[in-house]
Each structure stands twice: as C-alpha cells, then as structure tokens.
Amino acid sequence: MSLQPKSIKSWTPVANSSPATLEERDIPAKTPAADDVDVKVLYCGVCASDVTALDGESGPLVENAVYGHEVVGEVVAVGPEAEGIKVGDIVGIGAQSDCCRTCEFCEEHNDQFCAKNTFSISLPFGKYQRGPADGEFPHGGFAKFWRGPSRFAVKIPSGLDPAVAAPLLCAGVTVYSPMLHYGVGTRAMRVGVVGIGGLGHLAIQFAKAMGARVTAISRGTGKKDDALALGADEYISTSSDLASDFKGHERSLDLIICTINPPELEASSYIPLLRPRGTFVVLGLIQKDFTLSPMALLMGASGVAASAIGSPDELRQMFDLAVKHNIRPWITKYNFDDVNLAIEDFRAGKPRFRFVLVNTDNGGSMA
Ligand SMILES: [Zn+2]
Ligand SMILES: [Zn+2]
C-alpha cells in the first residue's frame, strides 16, 4: 500500500499566541520517501521539551510546527523500501526521525550521534537532510498521522500497553542509554537518581531492573513514598544546604543520574557522593550554565557527563527490559481535544509523572 495523505490534521501553535496554544489544522505532510512508513497516531506523550519549545525557550516558533516526540501508533502504509515494518504493526517514534545512514556512528547503530541527524525534539533544531524531504522540518505526533523513515519506527512488543510505551520513547531512553553506557547491569553498582519526576521515576525503575542499588535524592520528603514504591532502596531528602544533607553518604554512589534543571545546579555539591571514578550525568535540555570545581573532581578522578535520547537499537533493548521487569511510566491521559488543557496542567507542574495524549478517533483508549 502506498503512502497516502498529502496533508495531515495536526495540532499546531496558533500564530502569535502567548503563551502558545495549539489548534487543529491541516498541515502539508512530509514529502514521501521510499523507506517511509505512515503511522496512524494512537498516543503521544507530552515532554518538557515540547512545552519549553512552545514557550519559546528553544528559539522562535516555526510556522506549522508539529510537536510531540513520544509517538505511538499503528502502521497503515509502508513505502517499497521500508524495512522491518509491516502494515498493522504497533510502533513508536522518539525524538529522532532521520540520520545519514553512512557515517561511522550510523553504521555502528549509534544514530543519535550522526552529524546529519534529524531531531523532532524542540523544533526548530533539525530538518531532514537527505532524500525527497531534504530541507523540510520533521513533524511530530501531535497529529492524526505520522510519516517518516522506517528506521526510526520501533516495534512496541505485544507485552507492553502502547499508551504506557509512549513516555519510554523519550524519557525512558534518555535515562536508560547512559545507564547502559556507564555499565549498570555489568557489575554491582550503586546508582543515585536526583529528582523524582518524568525522568527520575523511570531512572529508578530501570536502574533497579538492571540490578543496581538505587538511592533517590529529592527535595524534602514529598516524593519519598513514591520513590520507595518505584523501587528505590534509600531516599535522601535535600534542603537548601546540600553539604549537610549529604553528610554520611560520601563515596556511596558509582553513578548519579541528575534529572533536575534548577535555576542554578549546584553540581559540585553532588560530587562527594561519588565513589572513585564515579560519574555525574546531567540529562535533558539544560540550557543554563553551571559551575563545577575541578578540585572537587580531582581526588576521586570523578567524571561529569551529559546525555540525551538513545538509538533505535537502545529503544528495542529498553522495551524488552520494560516487558521483562514490568517497568511502567506513571501516566495521566488526556484526549487530544484537550491538548491545551494538558499543556496548561504541564506548565502548572501537575504531571505525576508523564502526560499522554490520546487520539480516540483513531482507536486510542482513554481507559
Ligand atoms: Zn523529550
Ligand atoms: Zn550518520
């Protein structure tokens, strides 16, 4: 079956609205390529970077921008060169929708490091850089349909509820990929998770599933019960005096996954928690600089790193792990008709811990 629509009903920003609101409009569909698939969108997660982009924090709004990079749906058409996907498959698409295919990073399936990647995250970052859609912005999942290369449409295993799978496509792989890279699961490790929110609640579950001992670190005690319910072994409540909060916990963690984005990240304060050669990893689109004393890193030969998203291969591995260990994002569903309410609630800090938009017209379930 060939790729069909020339335009796609999508939720896109109302011109000059501030704060930006979305309206349903027909948007020209991506120029089809031979390896594209068309996906009927059932669910799409709402990620912080969608909201910060709508709020203009990642540059001026692009006309006809379609956000949403935690897309789950049913394949309804496949191009003649689409690989590994057939009509009827339930697939997910994350923040990346294309890469060059020929560089060393693409060849080793680290697509996220391709210099010609196409990110649908926080438009206007990336455009397609090859094929008939060269120069076009990618479109996300705040829409009735998604079209893009089959390489980035990852099959959702049947053991995973497609609605629950949506937040794993960005938030999930963003925490899973660095844990894989820093060896969680290959040896006994102690992992700290700073911030219990959209990313942190998944980091706890993945670290636990990969065999780590997990310490949750969060402001106050409000998230303690949630952290323990998610599988954390220990909870450190923080205040405005991190140095005293961390007394007695020095050199206790091999890896710290930092998911918070405060006005000023006191990175140096977390370093004493690391065991020698441990690593402090900051996640997400942290756009504010932070200071860090090299002396704080010196005696433990500690590392500081950042990480974003993951490859399609990592998404597949992550889904398998999620099925095996029953890892489930905690979600609240909103009908797509209420997308503006969802974004308003997101701005108000209401997610516990992820929002998922539901296309009931396409068969998505609010239950
Ligand atoms: Zn995201
Ligand atoms: Zn490449």
Side-chain angles (χ1 to χ4, degrees):
M1 183 174 161
S2 60
L3 305 168
Q4 296 292 335
K6 290 195 170 55
S7 69
I8 294 176
K9 267 202 189 317
S10 308
W11 283 269
T12 182
V14 175
N16 302 318
S17 57
S18 177
T21 52
L22 302 178
E23 63 182 354
E24 202 177 341
R25 275 210 308 271
D26 276 319
I27 301 292
K30 173 188 181 294
T31 305
D35 63 335
D36 278 353
V37 295
D38 277 356
V39 175
K40 181 172 76 172
V41 176
L42 299 171
Y43 304 100
C44 189
V46 180
C47 182
S49 58
D50 295 318
V51 179
T52 53
L54 277 171
D55 290 345
E57 287 179 32
S58 35
L61 289 181
V62 176
E63 199 190 348
N64 289 341
V66 184
Y67 295 91
H69 53 268
E70 294 179 335
V71 193
V72 172
E74 182 186 339
V75 176
V76 291
V78 296
E81 290 171 24
E83 280 178 17
I85 300 286
K86 59 182 191 313
V87 169
D89 284 346
I90 301 294
V91 296
I93 302 100
Q96 186 177 8
S97 49
D98 208 8
C99 62
C100 83
R101 321 298 166 87
T102 54
C103 74
E104 62 174 305
F105 306 106
C106 287
E107 288 202 335
E108 68 194 18
H109 296 283
N110 280 314
D111 300 1
Q112 73 273 36
F113 301 131
C114 176
K116 288 191 169 184
N117 57 33
T118 300
F119 282 164
S120 47
I121 193 167
S122 296
L123 292 167
F125 274 6
K127 291 180 175 177
Y128 285 104
Q129 299 187 56
R130 54 164 211 115
D134 196 353
E136 294 177 13
F137 279 116
H139 292 157
F142 291 178
K144 295 286 181 196
F145 290 88
W146 179 89
R147 172 183 294 160
S150 60
R151 181 174 174 122
F152 291 90
V154 174
K155 265 194 224 174
I156 310 272
S158 57
L160 202 54
D161 173 351
V164 161
L168 296 177
L169 287 152
C170 177
V173 80
T174 295
V175 300
Y176 174 71
S177 175
M179 287 200 254
L180 202 61
H181 177 75
Y182 289 101
V184 180
T186 60
R187 60 185 195 278
M189 280 181 75
R190 301 174 219 179
V191 174
V193 176
V194 181
I196 314 305
L199 293 171
H201 91 291
L202 292 171
I204 293 174
Q205 295 186 68
F206 277 110
K208 210 54 206 164
M210 294 163 91
R213 182 181 161 79
V214 180
T215 300
I217 302 166
S218 181
R219 186 164 275 261
T221 52
K223 301 274 180 73
K224 183 174 181 178
D225 290 345
D226 285 345
L228 298 178
L230 289 158
D233 299 286
E234 197 183 356
Y235 184 90
I236 302 176
S237 82
T238 59
S239 65
S240 54
D241 181 6
L242 292 177
S244 35
D245 300 333
F246 295 155
K247 278 215 172 72
H249 300 283
E250 294 87 354
R251 295 192 161 202
S252 63
L253 302 169
D254 298 286
L255 181 69
I256 298 175
I257 299 289
C258 179
T259 71
I260 59 172
N261 188 7
E264 280 181 54
L265 178 63
E266 294 177 59
S268 291
S269 301
Y270 292 91
I271 304 303
L273 294 174
L274 289 173
R275 287 161 54 79
R277 297 204 191 283
T279 309
F280 178 77
V281 184
V282 291
L283 299 184
L285 294 176
I286 297 185
Q287 310 204 5
K288 299 175 193 91
D289 292 348
F290 57 84
T291 56
L292 188 65
S293 152
M295 290 306 290
L297 305 174
L298 192 72
M299 295 315 289
S302 312
V304 176
S307 187
I309 69 164
S311 65
D313 272 5
E314 287 172 340
L315 285 170
R316 278 183 272 274
Q317 284 181 47
M318 174 192 67
F319 283 138
D320 289 345
L321 192 72
V323 171
K324 191 170 164 204
H325 292 274
N326 201 30
I327 293 168
R328 298 291 181 266
W330 293 7
I331 64 170
T332 307
K333 288 179 174 176
Y334 289 78
N335 195 304
F336 257 106
D337 294 338
D338 298 323
V339 61
N340 286 310
L341 173 65
I343 287 164
E344 222 173 278
D345 286 351
F346 199 104
R347 287 183 177 121
K350 290 189 183 170
R352 288 289 178 278
F353 290 102
R354 296 295 283 192
F355 286 173
V356 174
L357 297 163
V358 182
N359 251 331
T360 47
D361 298 352
N362 278 352
S365 163
M366 287 295 295

